[in-house]
Structures are given as structure tokens and as C-alpha cells.
Amino acid sequence: MKKITSFTIDHLNHPAGIYLSRQDGDVYTYDVRICKPYTDEILSNSALHSLEHLLATILRNDEEQTVYVGPMGCQTGFYVLFRDVELIEASEKIKKAFRKIAVYDGEMPGGSKVECGYCFNLSVQSAKETAVLFLQRLGEKI
């Protein structure tokens, strides 16, 4: 099988950040790397799941160009897909969403058994802490 692009990245030297992973026509896939692989502690399932709920909700509600938001299986970050949004603008949209999460004080979106396949590991606090960590790693203010 042909190796896919994401497996050609040197993960030993891939710091936290926001990177263009690939472009397919007008759809841009961004690697939102919260943890540096093999250096930083990976995200807990609760942090990953909680952040997924908030990040997807914020980006889908605020940005009509959002195609998809989902966690990386390696638990070091997320993939965010936008339609017709290049790197500088995408980075700003993603950082804006993380700033919203860092100060969020509402209920967890999709936080019930009816709305989620396993809502027991959702935590607004865990998502907030992870958002703050990512922004700090980027050198951003909250």
C-alpha cells in the first residue's frame, strides 16, 4: 500500500502547533497538534473527548466553512477540515475557538446519554485545561 501523507511526517521532531496536513481541492486538512509526540504526555481520553465536543460545536457554529473536527487516534491532537480556508486564517479561527474553550463556563454540548455514545468521561474542566495548555504552547494569550 502507498504510505499516506500523515505517516511521512517525522513525528520525533513535530512540535505542538497548527499545520496544513493536506489539501484536496477546496478542502484543507489542518493538523492541530496539542502535544509533541513522544515528548509531551498524550491527552487523556476524557480531555480528548471533552475537547472534541466543545471544539466541534464552536467551530461548526461559528464557521460555516468547517467540514470536520475529530481527534487523532494517537491522542496528541485533532484534525480540523475547512473549505477554502488557508493556513493563516485557519490558525486564527482555531486559536479563537481554543480561547473560547479556555474560558467556557457552560454545560457540555452533547453531554447526555441521548446525545453522546459515552457521556460519562466528558468534563468541561478537562477541556478548559487542555485549551489553556495548547494556547500556552503556542505562546498565545487567553
Side-chain angles (χ1 to χ4, degrees):
M1 270 190 271
K2 182 179 175 186
K3 192 179 287 191
I4 61 173
T5 304
S6 60
F7 295 151
T8 65
I9 296 167
D10 178 358
H11 285 79
L12 296 173
N13 295 297
H14 193 52
I18 300 168
Y19 307 94
L20 176 62
S21 177
R22 61 183 289 153
Q23 181 181 351
D24 300 287
D26 63 347
V27 176
Y28 295 74
T29 300
Y30 292 98
D31 176 335
V32 180
R33 191 68 62 156
I34 297 169
C35 307
K36 181 177 180 179
Y38 305 103
T39 301
D40 299 326
E41 185 175 331
I42 62 170
L43 299 173
S44 71
N45 192 38
S46 177
L48 200 66
H49 189 195
S50 302
L51 194 57
E52 176 191 19
H53 275 237
L54 282 164
L55 186 60
T57 299
I58 289 168
L59 286 174
R60 288 179 179 152
N61 281 316
D62 291 353
E63 305 298 338
E64 63 183 37
Q65 296 158 303
T66 303
V67 175
Y68 173 77
V69 176
M72 294 177 175
C74 61
Q75 296 176 253
T76 61
F78 286 82
Y79 291 111
V80 175
L81 282 67
F82 287 121
R83 187 171 310 285
D84 288 323
V85 180
E86 294 190 19
L87 182 59
I88 293 171
E89 183 182 359
S91 293
E92 290 308 312
K93 290 175 183 288
I94 292 165
K95 289 185 284 189
K96 178 181 173 187
F98 273 87
R99 283 192 288 274
K100 284 184 178 184
I101 295 167
V103 298
Y104 183 75
D105 65 355
E107 296 291 318
M108 178 62 73
S112 73
K113 287 181 179 179
V114 172
E115 300 165 307
C116 177
Y118 192 77
C119 65
F120 301 116
N121 67 354
L122 291 171
S123 163
V124 169
Q125 187 60 37
S126 180
K128 289 173 70 165
E129 290 169 4
T130 305
V132 168
L133 173 71
F134 183 54
L135 291 167
Q136 288 172 339
R137 286 181 175 163
L138 294 179
E140 293 287 319
K141 293 185 181 192
I142 297 164

